[in-house]
RNA sequence: GCGAAAGUGGCGGAACUGGUAGACGCGCGAGAUUUAGGUUCUCGUGGUUUAGGCCGUGGGGGUUCGAGUCCCCCCUUUCGCACCA
């Protein structure tokens, strides 16, 4: 073979791998499985099968994981490397609606197309494990897991989820009682009722109220444009749907929710042990949003009512000069005095009508209305006014706050606007005072002025400090630091029964139902008396009914009622007869994220019809902390990764999986970006048709402006892989994508640059085969010392880079090695073989071909990864940097084991170094063996 | 506003715990092969310069024998959160 015929080679080896099932992963129970080898589970975030097809940016991460998978096979691991499709959900359904074809047909077609495109990249997936979340064999188990969640409660004492049946047993046995407020209390609690004293419906209500999947009527995100409700995570900052950018409204609706909040603490705590990018951990911590503080009760003056608030600064309690309720707070109706009723309800109506977008727009100016009622500050005994204002949210804490205007910037603004009293209870630190005084050019003593009137400065002091003005007959916080003051006030509050230390989370329960067609049906039946009953496990899956019209009931009207698509399903699906009564199926479907919460587990055992995953197989592949490497984009930092961790922990608590976390190591790949071009009207023109002339860009003679962004349809700057395959081949494309830069960063696609790696592969070929007759140039002669040293240095570096996924630098080292081989008459086998093995993960087709040409009859997929020998890394001579007074002046060559005196002598022997020392005395010499000598003189 | 990450030649990017800045590739320049273009090969390529140097990793300070790397201040870009009490 005289020419590198990539087309023929790539076809040949892809066929070979398929025929020989080269990448079939053997696990426990499979014939030929070798349990003595370590396992490696390397996973990609599986894609949505969109109709648009792939561009060169999509497979970036897949190429990365493929290289790791191939490398790990060569280092003796049993590798699990699967791929599948996340095919339920809005994108697939929206696409189906656009084309008017049933989503099952469009998604299956899209999957087939995407499979074809993926396979062309020569990725070493075990395709026998391919799965799609839309197949009944798969979503049967998604439904099964939902039933596990429904059948569980959270045991706070044991800090884990447990089956509801165990709760019922414990109640039956009297280990627990039902408290006055309907809460769960331990035996012996005062005023508690026994389980037996409850009637059937009370019992059911009690249990249903503790389930981890429950129906509740809290305000949810209603998106009429999509015809469905959405999770908090699916709503953007400006109150729109992440999918489709439709407006979203808060409305109280009865919906399914999953009690993810029960796991809040563990979802934060367990991040510590994960090998994840710090920014992702931080985003998750922020999303869960843990804050410590106190719950405090304020009595309403002249009434039996009390307002409970959460505060992170109980130490400022003496400074609470008013209270604010969220406009939606239930106590607003009871406390408002008749004179203020009109103003209050007007304000409530206004606040209710404002969308989140409006509230966002003028978040700076504070509005509110006095209710006419007063609460009593428990520390001072003073009556403080109760206001309502939309800067307090119903969704966080208790929906009410104690306002400490002197030490909270929002309360400060509000108090200034409505002339409410502002009392300092923390002495600001001198640095802050000095800064503030500087800002307003204050001449007098800043502390004195501040204490006299805290509004002299434009800002409130919100930091920690020493408490002042904080004492009553029973307790004094004065002169205490913030931490100490908090401790003291909390113990005082506890003593008085007015409050206690509390931890609050930002995380809300997960809104889990959607009114769309294209999702997993809930395996739940609703009885005529409002009872809920699960579909028995033996009857799973509940298959989506065939429907002509699967479109959602979308609307522009925010008042439109949600109408699940399944409401139009045929009666024989909707209605089920149980013991002579007609029960109706749940008509909502599960959200997109359900299927992706556990797919990694199904890959372990994709065809099991008895269990969602075989225990022994799960134990093997998920051992040592779960998936060994999980690669995907940062966009899933909160949504998918938080939901999946939640489900996994629940399955762990119930004993269904063996690790408490699903993904031990997470890696975020960057994006491939590309230049995009707009004409004078701002319309994007296809980047492929743009011509460059003297640094300007033209399309049909029109001058264009150039911008830069993520590759895709909207910017018309996508590059299709097919063109690249045709011109350069798949190995070259793979290599270029890895060579562009670090896998984790975003970087620009520049088609011109691909010739660099193409030339490299051509040159590799020419090093192996004679240009004229195509004969193999490999010889059995030993390599020279220099080539051998370079080979071993390359093995060392490339091996290291494989572990850190630094493929760009390993490729650079391989290019260097290859360049060094160019001048040789023949290629020593001792270099050729390890060189091919190192190329194998990166350019597998070419490497297989070379391996075969070297005389091997089997695939190199499981050939042992080359080792390096430290002995060969020793150079005969090393260059030592010579610095005079810390400045680089050149280098000297010495033996690698040269000591300071040798190097110094060699340096001083040369005029070019001595020159800089003329007339100076050497004061000090710094020597770093093998690297540098620095002579200090004056 | 708060938080995080990043700023290195004409371009993509190297540089492990402070120790020869710019590996490798693109582009560019010169030469060789070729009828020519392309391919291929060799050499060169941070800036400046009086050829000894001098200046260079966003800007300004600092620590150190020595700073792209550590510390402080500032600028720019990207991302995340956003009245979270």
């Amino acid at each position: 073979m005289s020419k590198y015929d990539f087309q023929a080679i790539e076809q040949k080896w892809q066929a070979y791998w398929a025929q020989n099932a080269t990448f079939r992963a053997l696990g426990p129970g499979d014939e030929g499985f070798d349990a003595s080898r370590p396992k490696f589970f390397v996973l990609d975030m599986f894609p949505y099968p969109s109709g648009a097809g792939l561009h060169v940016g999509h497979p970036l991460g897949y190429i990365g994981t493929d290289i790791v998978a191939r490398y790990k096979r060569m280092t003796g691991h049993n590798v699990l490397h699967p791929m599948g499709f996340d095919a339920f959900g809005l994108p697939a359904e929206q696409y189906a609606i656009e084309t008017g074809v049933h989503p099952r047909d469009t998604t299956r077609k899209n999957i087939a197309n995407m499979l074809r495109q993926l396979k062309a990249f020569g990725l070493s997936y075990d395709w026998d494990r391919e799965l799609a979340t839309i197949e009944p064999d798969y979503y049967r188990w998604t439904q099964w897991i939902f039933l596990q969640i429904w059948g569980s409660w959270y045991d706070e004492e044991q800090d884990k989820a447990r089956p509801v049946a165990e709760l019922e047993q414990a109640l039956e046995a009297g280990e627990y009682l039902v408290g006055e407020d309907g809460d769960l209390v331990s035996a012996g609690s005062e005023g508690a009722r026994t389980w037996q004293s409850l009637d059937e419906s009370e019992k059911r209500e009690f249990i249903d109220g503790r389930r981890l999947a429950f129906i509740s009527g809290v305000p949810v995100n209603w998106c009429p444009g999509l015809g469905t409700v959405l999770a908090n995570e699916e709503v953007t900052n400006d109150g729109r749907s992440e999918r489709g950018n439709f407006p979203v409204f808060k409305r109280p609706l009865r919906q399914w929710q999953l009690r993810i909040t029960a796991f809040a603490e563990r979802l934060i705590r367990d991040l510590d042990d994960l090998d994840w990018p710090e920014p992702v951990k931080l985003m998750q911590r922020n999303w869960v949003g843990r804050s410590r503080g106190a719950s405090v009760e304020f009595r309403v003056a002249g009434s039996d009512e009390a307002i409970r608030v959460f505060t992170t600064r109980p130490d400022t309690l003496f400074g609470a000069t008013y209270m604010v309720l969220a406009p939606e707070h239930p106590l607003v109706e009871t406390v408002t005095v008749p004179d203020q009723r009109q103003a209050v309800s007007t304000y409530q109506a206004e606040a209710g009508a404002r969308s989140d977008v409006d509230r966002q727009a003028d978040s700076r100016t504070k509005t509110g209305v006095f209710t006419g009622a007063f609460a009593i500050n428990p520390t001072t005994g003073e009556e403080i006014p109760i206001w309502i204002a939309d800067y307090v949210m119903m969704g966080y804490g208790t929906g009410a706050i104690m306002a400490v205007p002197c030490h909270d910037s929002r309360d400060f603004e509000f108090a200034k606007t409505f002339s409410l009293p502002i009392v300092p209870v923390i002495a600001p630190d001198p640095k802050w005072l000095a800064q503030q005084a500087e800002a307003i050019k204050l001449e007098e003593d800043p502390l004195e002025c501040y204490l006299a009137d805290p509004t002299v400065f434009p800002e409130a002091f919100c930091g920690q400090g020493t408490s002042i003005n904080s004492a009553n007959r029973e307790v004094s916080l004065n002169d205490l630091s913030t931490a100490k003051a908090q401790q003291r006030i909390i113990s005082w509050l506890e003593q008085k029964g007015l409050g206690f230390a509390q931890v609050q989370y930002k995380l809300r329960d997960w809104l889990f139902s959607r009114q769309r067609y294209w999702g997993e049906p809930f395996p739940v039946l609703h009885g005529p008396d409002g009872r809920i009953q699960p579909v028995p496990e033996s009857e799973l899956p509940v298959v989506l009914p065939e429907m002509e019209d699967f479109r959602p009931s979308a609307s522009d009207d925010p008042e439109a009622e949600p109408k699940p698509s399944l409401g139009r399903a045929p009666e024989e699906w909707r209605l089920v007869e149980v013991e002579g009564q007609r029960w109706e199926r749940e008509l909502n479907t599960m959200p997109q994220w359900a299927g992706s919460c556990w797919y990694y587990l199904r890959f372990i055992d994709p065809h099991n019809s008895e269990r969602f995953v075989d225990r022994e197989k799960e134990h093997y592949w998920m051992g040592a902390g779960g998936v060994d490497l999980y690669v995907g984009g940062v966009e899933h930092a909160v949504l998918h990764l938080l939901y999946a961790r939640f489900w996994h922990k629940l399955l762990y608590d119930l004993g269904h999986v063996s690790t408490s976390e699903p993904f031990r190591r997470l890696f975020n790949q960057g994006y491939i970006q590309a230049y995009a071009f707009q004409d004078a009207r701002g319309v994007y023109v296809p980047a492929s048709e743009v011509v460059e002339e003297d640094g300007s860009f033209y399309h049909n003679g029109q001058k264009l402006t150039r911008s830069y962004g993520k590759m895709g349809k909207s910017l018309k700057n996508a590059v299709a892989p097919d063109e690249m395959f045709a011109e350069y081949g798949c190995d070259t494309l793979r290599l270029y994508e890895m060579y562009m830069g670090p896998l984790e960063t975003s970087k620009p696609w520049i088609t011109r640059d691909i010739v660099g790696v193409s030339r490299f592969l051509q040159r590799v070929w020419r090093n192996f085969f004679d240009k004229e007759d195509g004969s193999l140039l490999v010889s059995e002669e030993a390599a020279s010392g220099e080539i051998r040293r370079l080979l071993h240095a390359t093995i060392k570096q490339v091996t290291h880079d494989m572990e850190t996924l630094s493929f760009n630098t390993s490729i650079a080292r391989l290019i260097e090695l290859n360049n060094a081989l160019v001048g040789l008459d023949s290629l020593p086998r001792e270099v050729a073989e390890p060189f091919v093995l190192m190329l194998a993960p990166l350019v597998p087709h070419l490497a297989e071909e070379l391996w075969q040409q070297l005389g091997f009859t089997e695939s190199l997929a499981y050939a042992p990864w080359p080792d390096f020998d430290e002995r060969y890394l020793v150079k005969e001579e090393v260059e030592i940097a010579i610095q005079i007074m810390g400045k680089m002046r050149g280098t000297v060559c010495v033996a690698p084991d040269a000591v300071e005196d040798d190097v110094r002598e060699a340096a001083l022997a040369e005029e070019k170094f001595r020159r800089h020392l003329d007339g100076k005395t050497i004061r000090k010499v710094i020597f770093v063996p093998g690297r540098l000598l620095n002579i200090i003189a004056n």
Side-chain angles (χ1 to χ4, degrees):
Chain A
M1 287 215 228
S2 54
K3 203 171 143 271
Y4 169 38
D5 184 352
F6 56 81
Q7 301 267 8
I9 292 170
E10 285 165 9
Q11 272 175 26
K12 170 181 165 183
W13 288 101
Q14 287 185 12
Y16 175 95
W17 295 327
Q19 265 164 31
N20 293 276
T22 306
F23 305 117
R24 178 179 293 158
L26 299 179
D30 293 327
E31 204 180 317
F33 166 63
D34 180 357
S36 67
R37 288 167 176 255
K39 64 93 186 184
F40 198 85
F41 187 171
V42 47
L43 181 69
D44 294 285
M45 291 187 184
F46 66 162
Y48 313 118
S50 93
L54 295 181
H55 60 65
V56 292
H58 286 119
L60 188 71
Y62 306 156
I63 298 170
T65 53
D66 184 61
I67 293 165
V68 172
R70 288 175 182 271
Y71 166 72
K72 289 288 176 183
R73 282 188 201 101
M74 295 173 78
T75 53
H77 292 77
N78 285 325
V79 171
L80 181 60
H81 186 42
M83 181 48 96
F85 300 93
D86 187 16
F88 267 136
L90 286 177
E93 185 174 353
Q94 290 293 73
Y95 181 78
I97 290 163
E98 282 165 30
T99 55
V101 187
H102 194 283
R104 186 192 47 238
D105 300 333
T106 54
T107 34
R108 282 193 181 147
K109 201 175 123 225
N110 291 347
I111 286 171
N113 185 43
M114 216 158 169
L115 263 176
R116 182 188 57 78
Q117 286 189 302
L118 281 175
K119 286 186 174 174
F121 278 89
L123 304 168
S124 65
Y125 293 117
D126 178 355
W127 287 113
D128 288 348
R129 294 173 188 264
E130 183 216 330
L131 57 80
T133 53
I134 55 168
E135 300 303 337
D137 284 348
Y138 181 88
Y139 70 70
R140 164 186 183 177
W141 298 108
T142 310
Q143 292 173 338
W144 178 83
I145 294 172
F146 175 82
L147 290 182
Q148 303 305 304
I149 301 170
W150 187 79
S152 303
W153 64 295
Y154 204 84
D155 183 341
E156 299 290 343
E157 269 171 43
Q158 293 187 20
D159 199 16
K160 61 183 268 197
R162 295 173 62 194
V164 161
E166 292 179 16
L167 175 61
E168 285 170 326
Q169 277 164 21
L171 284 160
E172 291 282 354
E175 291 167 37
Y176 290 119
L177 300 173
V178 177
E180 280 176 285
D181 306 329
D183 48 343
L184 185 70
V185 296
S186 44
S189 298
E190 235 173 279
R193 301 168 62 191
T194 61
W195 184 242
Q196 284 75 14
S197 69
L198 271 60
D199 68 27
E200 280 311 307
S201 79
E202 283 175 319
K203 283 181 180 175
R204 201 172 57 235
E205 200 177 311
F206 181 82
I207 292 293
D208 283 350
R210 310 212 119 53
R211 293 181 186 277
L212 298 184
F214 59 100
I215 293 179
S216 139
V218 299
V220 297
N221 304 298
W222 164 237
C223 179
L226 288 171
T228 186
V229 297
L230 297 169
N232 289 344
E233 291 82 356
E234 293 172 299
V235 181
T236 61
N237 289 339
D238 46 353
R240 289 179 162 264
S241 64
E242 201 170 66
R243 291 277 171 202
N245 201 35
F246 296 105
V248 171
F249 301 87
K250 278 275 180 207
R251 277 187 56 187
L253 292 171
R254 284 181 62 77
Q255 295 292 325
W256 279 98
Q257 296 196 275
L258 301 189
R259 209 180 297 281
I260 188 172
T261 49
F263 292 80
E265 190 61 41
R266 288 162 68 191
L267 287 171
I268 290 185
R269 195 207 310 141
D270 293 352
L271 284 171
D272 294 343
D273 301 324
L274 297 178
D275 183 4
W276 283 24
E278 264 327 301
V280 175
K281 288 191 185 184
L282 193 70
M283 276 190 249
Q284 292 219 345
R285 283 195 195 100
N286 289 343
W287 191 264
V288 177
R290 183 185 202 275
S291 49
R292 290 158 50 102
S295 173
V296 186
E297 201 173 275
F298 284 67
R299 276 187 27 245
V300 176
S303 143
D304 293 337
E305 300 288 351
I307 298 171
R308 189 160 278 288
V309 301
F310 172 74
T311 174
T312 54
R313 293 296 299 272
D315 57 306
T316 63
L317 189 47
F318 283 87
T321 53
Y322 67 99
M323 300 196 79
V324 184
L325 303 177
E328 309 88 356
H329 197 285
L331 273 179
V332 174
E333 311 309 325
T334 17
V335 302
T336 303
V337 300
D339 280 357
Q340 289 298 97
R341 188 141 286 165
Q342 184 61 44
V344 164
S345 41
T346 309
Y347 185 79
Q348 281 179 313
E350 278 170 14
R354 299 172 83 193
S355 70
D356 286 355
V357 191
D358 299 335
R359 265 168 97 146
Q360 198 80 24
D362 52 9
S363 62
R364 298 282 160 244
T365 49
K366 298 270 182 291
T367 59
V369 171
F370 180 41
T371 61
F374 291 85
I376 294 164
N377 182 321
T379 52
T380 61
E382 276 171 33
E383 292 203 346
I384 57 176
I386 304 171
W387 287 63
I388 66 168
D390 67 359
Y391 83 93
V392 173
M393 311 282 142
M394 198 56 223
Y396 184 73
T398 60
I401 61 155
M402 64 175 214
V404 184
C406 202
H407 304 296
D408 179 285
S409 51
R410 297 151 301 178
D411 299 343
F412 186 67
E413 294 303 319
F414 191 82
K416 283 203 290 188
T417 309
F418 295 102
S419 306
L420 292 158
I422 300 171
V423 179
V425 291
I426 304 285
D429 59 74
K431 199 180 155 194
W432 182 84
L433 284 167
Q435 268 173 10
Q436 293 291 313
E438 170 76 26
I440 59 162
K441 307 266 182 283
L442 186 74
E443 303 278 324
E444 296 97 288
D445 178 57
L447 183 59
E448 241 169 71
C449 292
Y450 179 77
L451 294 180
D453 175 15
T455 59
V456 283
F457 301 131
E459 285 169 29
F461 176 72
C462 307
Q464 306 212 339
T466 307
S467 289
I468 52 169
N469 298 332
S470 297
N472 61 25
R473 251 174 278 157
E474 294 173 13
V475 65
S476 169
L477 308 180
N478 290 341
D479 301 323
L480 294 180
S481 68
T482 297
K484 291 248 168 65
Q486 291 184 347
Q487 276 174 21
R488 182 162 302 176
I489 194 71
I490 286 171
S491 55
W492 182 78
L493 287 167
E494 277 172 354
Q495 235 173 56
K496 308 279 287 179
L498 291 169
F500 47 87
Q502 199 184 23
V503 172
Q504 191 66 238
Y505 300 95
K506 221 161 76 178
L507 184 70
R508 308 285 85 202
D509 281 327
W510 178 12
L511 179 73
F512 196 68
S513 41
R514 301 291 182 275
Q515 287 71 48
R516 306 282 292 217
Y517 171 73
W518 197 229
E520 299 87 347
F522 281 73
V524 163
L525 302 175
H526 296 267
D529 53 356
R531 272 198 293 158
I532 290 173
Q533 175 177 306
V535 173
E537 268 182 42
S538 59
E539 287 175 29
L540 297 182
V542 175
V543 178
L544 265 181
E546 278 305 313
M547 283 170 62
E548 284 294 310
D549 181 10
F550 49 81
R551 285 171 304 146
S553 315
S555 155
D556 295 333
D557 178 9
E559 297 305 316
E561 278 306 308
K563 284 191 207 125
S565 303
L566 289 180
R568 296 190 303 263
E571 272 198 9
E572 56 270 29
W573 185 86
R574 262 183 23 238
L575 302 177
V576 180
E577 201 171 290
V578 182
E579 291 162 8
Q581 285 190 304
R582 273 155 60 112
W583 290 57
E584 187 173 34
R585 287 196 192 276
E586 169 69 45
L587 298 176
N588 288 305
T589 52
M590 299 187 200
Q592 167 105 59
W593 313 102
S596 60
C597 269
W598 73 283
Y599 73 110
Y600 54 95
L601 292 169
R602 190 62 178 174
F603 277 138
I604 291 169
D605 194 12
H607 308 300
N608 193 332
S609 55
E610 303 298 316
R611 253 181 83 76
F612 76 115
V613 58
D614 176 77
R615 282 184 192 278
E616 194 194 346
K617 291 178 181 173
E618 186 278 333
H619 198 265
Y620 178 74
W621 288 113
M622 292 295 283
V627 173
D628 299 278
L629 177 65
Y630 192 26
V631 176
V634 256
E635 69 270 24
H636 295 113
V638 256
L639 295 142
H640 160 60
L641 288 170
L642 199 67
Y643 294 151
R645 291 179 65 216
F646 160 44
W647 279 36
H648 196 87
K649 285 184 181 305
L650 180 120
L651 291 171
Y652 173 69
D653 288 353
L654 298 179
H656 294 307
V657 297
S658 52
T659 63
S660 61
E661 283 285 336
F663 315 118
R664 187 171 56 81
R665 182 177 176 201
L666 176 72
F667 187 96
N668 292 127
Q669 95 272 1
Y671 297 104
I672 289 190
Q673 303 186 302
Y675 289 113
F677 301 89
Q678 284 164 287
D679 64 19
R681 295 166 303 163
V683 176
Y684 285 98
V685 303
S688 55
E689 296 167 17
V690 172
V691 287
E692 185 180 351
E693 226 170 278
D694 305 324
S696 294
F697 302 92
Y698 300 91
H699 181 247
N700 295 337
Q702 263 201 71
K703 197 165 175 177
L704 305 168
T705 53
R706 188 170 78 160
S707 57
Y708 178 67
K710 208 167 142 183
M711 195 176 270
K713 221 168 31 172
S714 56
L715 300 183
K716 291 192 184 162
N717 60 352
V719 177
D722 309 67
E723 303 165 26
M724 296 297 121
F725 286 146
E727 200 167 346
Y728 298 101
C730 149
D731 279 337
T732 302
L733 177 58
R734 286 170 55 117
L735 198 63
Y736 172 60
E737 296 211 10
M738 293 301 106
Y739 188 60
M740 289 165 69
L743 191 59
E744 64 269 30
T745 60
S746 293
K747 54 242 154 191
W749 175 271
I750 301 165
T751 301
R752 188 180 69 186
D753 287 3
I754 198 171
V755 299
V757 288
S758 172
R759 282 175 197 156
F760 163 57
L761 295 184
Q762 305 275 2
R763 207 171 299 151
V764 168
W765 190 264
R766 283 201 307 275
N767 280 335
F768 276 79
F769 301 105
D770 187 274
K771 204 171 7 179
E772 305 300 325
D773 61 10
S775 62
L776 191 67
L777 295 173
V778 171
S779 78
E780 304 304 319
E781 280 165 47
S784 71
E786 192 45 35
I787 292 288
R788 184 179 286 161
R789 197 199 63 75
L790 181 62
L791 171 72
H792 285 259
T794 306
I795 297 172
K796 185 177 182 178
Q797 180 73 43
V798 171
T799 305
H800 173 263
D801 289 349
M802 285 289 149
E803 298 291 345
T804 58
L805 277 62
S806 309
F807 307 123
N808 54 330
T809 49
S810 34
I811 295 165
R813 295 290 88 82
L814 290 168
I815 294 174
E816 267 179 303
L817 175 61
N818 189 55
N819 287 348
L821 302 176
V822 164
L824 305 182
D825 295 330
S826 70
L827 185 56
R829 184 170 279 270
E830 70 164 285
V831 178
E833 288 186 9
F835 182 43
V836 170
L837 292 174
M838 283 190 283
L839 286 170
L842 298 157
V843 285
H845 310 85
L846 172 60
E848 289 273 24
E849 183 63 27
L850 294 175
W851 194 243
Q852 195 178 57
Q853 297 287 335
L854 282 171
F856 295 91
T857 50
E858 282 193 20
S859 162
L860 50 53
Y862 296 89
W865 185 256
D867 282 325
F868 64 93
D869 190 331
E870 286 285 350
R871 284 177 308 165
Y872 295 131
L873 296 177
V874 181
K875 294 181 181 177
E876 286 172 23
E877 259 194 336
V878 291
E879 257 189 333
I880 304 279
I882 303 298
Q883 294 185 352
I884 315 272
M885 313 289 291
K887 268 196 181 303
M888 264 302 295
R889 294 298 169 182
T891 58
V892 294
C893 284
V894 295
D897 55 353
V899 294
E900 179 176 333
D901 287 344
D902 303 335
V903 180
R904 184 169 159 176
E905 205 175 307
L908 293 178
E910 287 191 52
E911 160 61 21
K912 67 174 177 179
F913 299 124
R914 234 181 13 236
R915 188 172 59 220
H916 298 281
L917 293 166
D918 273 352
K920 292 189 175 120
T921 320
I922 297 176
R923 298 288 172 199
K924 196 175 169 188
V925 175
I926 286 142
F927 179 63
V928 183
R931 300 213 89 133
L932 139 158
L933 185 85
N934 188 1
I935 301 170
I936 316 301
N938 63 9

